[in-house]
Amino acid sequence: MNSGSKVLQDFFNPLVTETFASTIALRDAGLTNYISEMLANFCQSEELYKIRNAAGRSLSDVGEMLLESDPIFGSAPSFDRERAVRKHIGDYTLFFTGMFPESINRLRLRNNRLDNFVDWMKAGKESYYIVSKFEYFEYAKVAPLFAKLSENFEQCVYGLNQVKNDLQEMQHPIVRRENDLIM
């Protein structure tokens, strides 16, 4: 993580932690730290669109990402690649359904997209569940976190939507003026 992402994570973490605790009664430091880090990383478009197909094209279509993650019938050359792509699908769908739900329909209106047939909530929840089943060796410590993300996916979406509302409120002129007066 670069220093810019660290600063953003430090900004997002208390906001996510407080919002999740107050709106969805989810008090889990590991989970809120992970979500804060995801938000900070996704502020960089190269992180948001880091999954590439075999031809090197960046994927933004969840349906194409699902095909890319399949080690049996799809393009994934290994189970490690499946895990990495599934983790990204979970993060990507959580990010968009929580922070920018209005953009999902716009994405789907584009022609010839596989994700026209994909339920983003189900894809995200299922992807985190699959990642949680990589529970051996180097993945043993983080597997429970992904199980929690899968189990609480809908609540996390709602919590992120509340974070978005809080961020929008912070930008409101009345709040900004109040902060200026306090400072």
Side-chain angles (χ1 to χ4, degrees):
M1 176 183 304
N2 66 37
S3 63
S5 290
K6 177 68 174 129
V7 170
L8 282 170
Q9 184 178 355
D10 290 345
F11 169 75
F12 285 128
N13 197 29
L15 183 61
V16 171
T17 300
E18 174 57 35
T19 302
F20 276 43
S22 66
T23 61
I24 59 174
L26 195 66
R27 293 170 180 82
D28 183 312
L31 189 124
T32 55
N33 286 339
Y34 180 84
I35 291 173
S36 299
E37 183 177 353
M38 177 198 68
L39 289 173
N41 288 339
F42 279 1
C43 285
Q44 301 170 26
S45 63
E46 62 271 7
E47 284 296 312
L48 190 58
Y49 301 109
K50 71 180 179 182
I51 300 299
R52 298 186 177 280
N53 65 10
R57 184 176 58 85
S58 183
L59 301 179
S60 62
D61 182 314
V62 174
E64 288 182 352
M65 287 184 214
L66 287 168
L67 289 175
E68 184 65 29
S69 74
D70 191 331
I72 307 296
F73 301 109
S75 311
S78 68
F79 289 109
D80 282 336
R81 173 70 174 167
E82 174 190 22
R83 183 191 181 280
V85 175
R86 283 294 190 153
K87 178 184 172 296
H88 186 77
I89 293 168
D91 293 347
Y92 187 86
T93 56
L94 179 59
F95 178 76
F96 273 104
T97 56
M99 297 296 287
F100 304 104
E102 68 282 354
S103 71
I104 294 171
N105 281 337
R106 275 188 261 141
L107 290 172
R108 289 181 172 189
L109 292 175
R110 295 181 187 166
N111 294 334
N112 301 322
R113 290 182 60 92
L114 289 174
D115 68 10
N116 286 337
F117 305 103
V118 174
D119 177 337
W120 280 44
M121 298 285 280
K122 183 178 177 187
K125 185 174 187 135
E126 177 184 80
S127 290
Y128 280 146
Y129 175 79
I130 289 169
V131 172
S132 78
K133 293 305 171 186
F134 284 79
E135 52 196 7
Y136 302 103
F137 307 113
E138 69 267 28
Y139 304 125
K141 286 186 178 181
V142 295
L145 169 68
F146 292 101
K148 287 179 196 171
L149 284 163
S150 177
E151 291 164 13
N152 297 292
F153 192 84
E154 294 87 353
Q155 294 92 328
C156 290
V157 167
Y158 180 77
L160 274 179
N161 194 260
Q162 295 308 303
V163 167
K164 173 189 173 180
N165 292 341
D166 290 346
L167 287 168
Q168 287 173 333
E169 190 175 294
M170 287 176 180
Q171 292 300 310
H172 194 279
I174 293 172
V175 173
R176 292 175 73 194
R177 183 162 181 190
E178 179 183 312
N179 287 340
D180 290 343
L181 291 173
I182 293 171
M183 297 283 184

